Amino acid sequence: MTQPPSIPPEYPEPTGGPAHPGAAQVPPGRPPVPGPRQPHIPPQEPPYPQPPQYPTAAPQPPEYPTAAAQPPPYPAGPQPSQYPGAGPAPHYPSAPQPQPPYPHAAAAPPSPYPQTSAVPPPGSPLHPHHIDTARGRVHVSSRQRHTDATAFGNLLLHLPNFLCSLVVVALVSLVLGDFGLLVILVWLASGALVFHRPTESALARHLLRLRYPTPQERATLEPVWREVTARAGVEGRAYELWVEDSDSLNAVAAAGHIVGVTSFALNRLPNGELAAVMAHELGHHVGGHAWSGLLGHWYALPGRIAWRLLRAVTGFLFHVSRAFSCLGVAFFGLCVGGIAFATISTLYGLPLLLLGMPYALAAVGRRSELRADRHAAALGFAPMLAAVLEKLHQQEQEQEQARLAAAGQGGGEPPKEKAASRLLSSHPDYHTRLHHLQEYLQPAR
């Protein structure tokens, strides 16, 4: 019976461990057990234990912002401290935030001054006084025109002129004999020609120096006129549009159906300001100012012609009387004075009213202009009308400076307007008209 091979006892492995992996474990003091031959492996250094790793807080490099760093906001009041046992954090007043040095870092603060920009041309839709003239259905008012207080006052003030003209026509009719009464009746009926369309056209062409607009001008005028009449509820086709070739800012309302504007107003004003001008002239038609003024002027025409003839004859006789020394002048003065006294006493002082008529008619004319301004402002054209008045005032000042420069007085101040000139003016001054527009220029509350 065979014996199993003896197994050597196991010995503890030295702390140093085998010299190299795969070597036989031989206890010290014993011969090595022969075994299979191993390849030669060079000896290696025994591994040494690594020291323990302690965590160290390495400082991180600070992160730099791409834009200008804003300082942290300071607390508005005392805040509790982040550390226990500490007192409240100190309170610092809030400091203003510094502005970034570059424009792209933050928006610039708004400027307290208004930004000046180029004003678009008058024909541009971006102009502040440009209006939209596209309108659909139009409401037409049943009352197209009326006679206001200024129109009635104008007719009343022309009554003395009418009576003087009637006397002149009656004296002329005495020369014609049996046809004298017919002449008076024809003259009285001639006032209806003011509303006769062919007569109006002849009046506009020859007396007012107006012309019909070209197709291009009509394409500009008609949409604006349609907008004005639509706001007023007036039938625009009842009126005729005319143009005056002039470099001044002006417009006219004449007879019963004529509305004329200058070429300057047509070509240099935006359509909103042109609409304000035309709305002003429409106010003269709606209020009856145009036909009453023309009718009064027509019936006063014979008296005006007679007055001019009388002045011419009187001036001629005065120059003739001067040839006979002072006695001739005295005799001429007595003759003229006697005739004047007889006329005044016979007509109960009515001729004396003629001396004050120009002032009264000018006052009524100024009132009618203010009423026409109010009509345009009530249609929504108050800002545009104020701009037109400013341009008109500036144009008048330039014309006055040019006149003074032509007279050799360009270096001095312009002379003040005389009181008589202001009283005889048919249009109020710029400041008065602008004052009456203030209630329409103020924003609604």
Side-chain angles (χ1 to χ4, degrees):
M1 188 172 181
T2 59
Q3 296 292 332
S6 62
I7 300 174
E10 296 181 1
Y11 296 93
E13 184 179 347
T15 58
H20 56 83
Q25 305 294 331
V26 180
R30 293 186 63 182
V33 180
R37 189 173 183 179
Q38 300 294 331
H40 173 72
I41 299 174
Q44 296 182 0
E45 294 292 334
Y48 295 97
Q50 296 294 328
Q53 300 292 330
Y54 297 98
T56 57
Q60 298 294 332
E63 296 182 359
Y64 297 96
T66 57
Q70 299 291 337
Y74 295 96
Q79 301 291 337
S81 175
Q82 299 178 357
Y83 304 97
H91 170 64
Y92 299 97
S94 59
Q97 298 292 335
Q99 296 295 335
Y102 303 102
H104 63 271
S111 175
Y113 302 99
Q115 299 293 332
T116 58
S117 58
V119 179
S124 174
L126 300 178
H127 196 279
H129 290 164
H130 180 83
I131 60 174
D132 185 13
T133 56
R135 183 179 290 271
R137 298 181 60 184
V138 176
H139 171 72
V140 178
S141 177
S142 58
R143 187 180 183 185
Q144 292 292 294
R145 64 176 66 193
H146 60 278
T147 303
D148 59 14
T150 55
F152 182 77
N154 191 28
L155 291 176
L156 186 62
L157 289 176
H158 273 101
L159 183 60
N161 296 331
F162 169 76
L163 294 177
C164 291
S165 298
L166 181 61
V167 170
V168 172
V169 173
L171 292 176
V172 173
S173 63
L174 294 177
V175 180
L176 300 177
D178 297 337
F179 297 97
L181 182 60
L182 182 61
V183 171
I184 296 176
L185 295 177
V186 170
W187 176 72
L188 292 176
S190 63
L193 295 176
V194 173
F195 306 99
H196 186 232
R197 290 301 183 93
T199 306
E200 286 184 357
S201 300
L203 176 67
R205 186 176 293 106
H206 300 290
L207 185 61
L208 302 178
R209 303 299 180 183
L210 302 178
R211 61 171 176 82
Y212 285 115
T214 63
Q216 293 80 8
E217 293 171 340
R218 187 172 296 276
T220 303
L221 285 173
E222 287 186 348
V224 177
W225 179 246
R226 184 167 56 249
E227 175 67 20
V228 171
T229 55
R231 294 190 184 189
V234 175
E235 179 58 55
R237 292 175 295 182
Y239 298 89
E240 293 184 0
L241 302 178
W242 295 72
V243 177
E244 177 186 1
D245 292 322
S246 175
D247 293 333
S248 61
L249 177 56
N250 198 7
V252 62
H257 311 91
I258 294 177
V259 175
V261 297
T262 60
S263 56
F264 178 90
L266 178 62
N267 300 323
R268 302 289 295 275
L269 296 182
N271 64 348
E273 297 179 8
L274 180 61
V277 173
M278 301 181 79
H280 173 89
E281 303 305 329
L282 180 62
H284 284 308
H285 280 295
V286 171
H289 311 154
W291 67 265
S292 64
L294 184 58
L295 195 63
H297 181 79
W298 173 258
Y299 281 120
L301 194 57
R304 294 175 184 273
I305 295 175
W307 173 250
R308 291 182 179 180
L309 290 175
L310 183 61
R311 288 180 56 184
V313 172
T314 303
F316 175 74
L317 293 177
F318 177 75
H319 286 290
V320 171
S321 63
R322 292 179 61 183
F324 297 95
S325 69
C326 296
L327 294 178
V329 174
F331 178 76
F332 174 78
L334 290 175
C335 293
V336 173
I339 295 174
F341 179 77
T343 304
I344 293 174
S345 59
T346 303
L347 299 177
Y348 302 98
L350 186 61
L352 294 178
L353 297 176
L354 300 177
L355 300 178
M357 283 300 103
Y359 300 95
L361 290 174
V364 173
R366 292 192 295 271
R367 177 58 58 178
S368 66
E369 293 295 329
L370 294 178
R371 285 182 175 269
D373 287 347
R374 182 175 300 180
H375 178 268
L379 297 181
F381 300 113
M384 296 79 163
L385 185 59
V388 171
L389 294 178
E390 174 66 26
K391 294 178 181 179
L392 184 61
H393 179 62
Q394 183 178 1
Q395 193 176 71
E396 290 176 353
Q397 288 183 335
E398 293 176 354
Q399 292 176 356
E400 181 67 20
Q401 292 177 358
R403 187 185 64 83
L404 293 177
Q409 302 176 1
E413 297 181 357
K416 296 182 178 180
E417 189 178 7
K418 298 181 180 178
S421 300
R422 292 196 302 268
L423 292 176
L424 288 174
S425 177
S426 60
H427 286 68
D429 59 274
Y430 162 72
H431 302 285
T432 302
R433 299 179 72 172
L434 195 62
H435 172 73
H436 284 80
L437 287 177
Q438 288 302 316
E439 58 177 320
Y440 297 96
L441 295 174
Q442 295 176 356
R445 297 180 180 178

